[in-house]
Amino acid sequence: MQKSAPPADATLEQQLLEAVQSDIESVRAAAEHLIAAGGKRARPRFAFLIGELLGVDPAVAAAVGAAAELVHTATLLHDDVLDGSDRRRGRPAVHATFGIRNAILTGDFLLARAIEHLTARGLFQATHELTRAVRELVEAELLQQELAWNAAITQAQARRVAEGKTGALFAWCARGLAVEGKLDAAGIASADALGRDVGFAFQIADDLLDIHAGGGDKPTRADLRAGHVTFPVRLACDRDAELEAAIRTAFASRREADFEAACAAVERSPAVALARTELEQARKRFSDAVRAAGASSELAGRMEGFFDAEISRQR
Ligand code: FPP
Ligand code: MG
């Protein structure tokens, strides 16, 4: 691809809207519904920073970022069906507006569009890597289902779910750019690890938001009610057998009073403090990796700012 200036936000939005066009009206409307609702566009922003770090053509970084956003949107369409969540980004979820069949097929359409977006630009190696990331993502979602309503999952299992659900796609942004930038095997592995840490931290920050009852545009205290022991909760259970017992009771009875008691026990537990320590460690690894990759202090500062903004999100 030819060298070009980094596209502005407006160009990314334009690329995303172009990618969701179809002469099948129902799929276009359903895809636009969620894309037009906005979102943080964290993956495209991350891809730009990594592209700059690795010295990759900004047009390649833009393509990888747009593809990541399309895959991410596809997973949200499917995830809201699986979770029975009726709202997303302050709007009714796609399945609530257009129906479940439409939401699932539109998710498939967006996944296909992401692949098309990359292959149309000759990014075949990144596409090959994307298939592995999507496989990891789906496996993590399946593992989460397999482990549902089990209070005694291991820390390693909880970590694999968090890493796969969110780490895999961030890892791909960095890995895809590293392979297209012709880095050696060690450089590709470092890029993958760096992206994985960012995604893992991102998921943990999201899990923490679920712990405190509060009013953002997402329901809180929903994870335990869906049978999920997230990584922060698992960390706390390893310190506190009574917490695990409260969760086991709620999972067995599925009574509202028992969920309330388990959620209150999580809120009192060291889950948040333990997870924040994990986040600080991930932040340190990220910062060290960025500097080891030769970032200027200006770029390192912007990358650390990105990490901090993503993990310190408040409702
Ligand atoms: C959000 O988790 C879910 C994910 C990050 C991954 C979901 C993946 C799938 C459903 C597999 C489908 C894959 C493709 C490629 C179509 P969450 O429910 O914890 O977060 P939320 O609170 O934002 O819903
Ligand atoms: Mg969900």
Side-chain angles (χ1 to χ4, degrees):
M1 292 176 78
Q2 290 252 303
K3 293 259 178 206
S4 53
D9 290 353
T11 313
L12 169 71
E13 296 307 316
Q14 187 61 33
Q15 282 192 8
L16 293 175
L17 282 177
E18 274 167 24
V20 302
Q21 293 313 309
S22 167
D23 60 351
I24 304 297
E25 170 60 18
S26 56
V27 81
R28 187 200 55 71
E32 262 189 29
H33 177 86
L34 191 52
I35 293 279
K40 295 179 297 293
R41 309 297 193 227
R43 291 150 191 84
R45 287 190 289 123
F46 178 64
F48 267 118
L49 290 168
I50 293 291
E52 214 177 319
L53 179 71
L54 303 182
V56 176
D57 181 346
V60 175
V64 165
E69 190 65 24
L70 291 169
V71 173
H72 173 57
T73 308
T75 69
L76 296 183
L77 292 193
H78 286 191
D79 182 65
D80 286 339
V81 171
L82 291 170
D83 290 353
S85 302
D86 287 339
R87 291 193 74 75
R88 173 71 66 181
R89 295 179 179 160
R91 290 185 165 193
V94 169
H95 71 88
T97 305
F98 298 91
I100 286 180
R101 286 161 196 254
N102 230 315
I104 291 171
L105 291 169
T106 303
D108 295 341
F109 168 81
L110 288 173
L111 184 57
R113 279 298 205 198
I115 293 168
E116 222 179 321
H117 197 78
L118 295 168
T119 53
R121 288 160 178 77
L123 302 174
F124 300 110
Q125 281 181 285
T127 308
H128 172 67
E129 297 294 341
L130 179 63
T131 60
R132 292 172 37 169
V134 170
R135 191 246 305 142
E136 192 182 340
L137 226 150
V138 173
E139 282 175 344
E141 190 67 25
L142 287 164
L143 179 61
Q144 180 176 263
Q145 275 187 43
E146 223 171 80
L147 298 171
W149 307 111
N150 177 358
I153 71 169
T154 66
Q155 219 181 90
Q157 287 170 323
R159 181 182 284 274
R160 184 169 172 199
V161 168
E163 265 195 25
K165 270 171 61 176
T166 308
L169 198 49
F170 276 95
W172 173 74
C173 289
R175 189 182 181 90
L177 287 169
V179 294
E180 293 297 343
K182 307 274 180 281
L183 268 71
D184 62 14
I188 293 169
S190 305
D192 185 300
L194 183 154
R196 195 165 289 272
D197 252 348
V198 170
F200 178 66
F202 200 89
Q203 183 60 47
I204 300 313
D206 198 61
D207 294 341
L208 288 179
L209 290 177
D210 187 75
I211 289 180
H212 300 290
D217 69 347
K218 262 182 166 185
T220 51
R221 292 178 149 194
D223 288 331
L224 284 182
R225 286 182 170 82
H228 302 318
V229 175
T230 59
F231 185 72
V233 175
R234 185 59 244 168
L235 286 181
C237 285
D238 283 347
R239 296 280 182 96
D240 179 356
E242 281 179 27
L243 174 62
E244 186 174 318
I247 295 172
R248 198 177 316 114
T249 301
F251 281 4
S253 77
R254 309 210 187 166
R255 284 175 42 222
E256 183 48 31
D258 291 333
F259 281 123
E260 268 303 312
C263 288
V266 168
E267 209 163 348
R268 286 193 308 272
S269 81
V272 173
L274 291 169
R276 289 218 174 276
T277 303
E278 286 279 335
L279 291 178
E280 276 161 27
Q281 288 165 357
R283 202 304 187 163
K284 166 109 179 47
R285 286 191 299 273
F286 174 74
S287 189
D288 289 349
V290 164
R291 282 162 204 276
S296 66
S297 56
E298 189 274 328
L299 175 59
R302 272 191 286 131
M303 294 190 78
E304 287 161 356
F306 169 84
F307 190 100
D308 293 342
E310 292 310 326
I311 68 168
S312 62
R313 283 170 297 150
Q314 301 292 331
R315 279 180 180 272

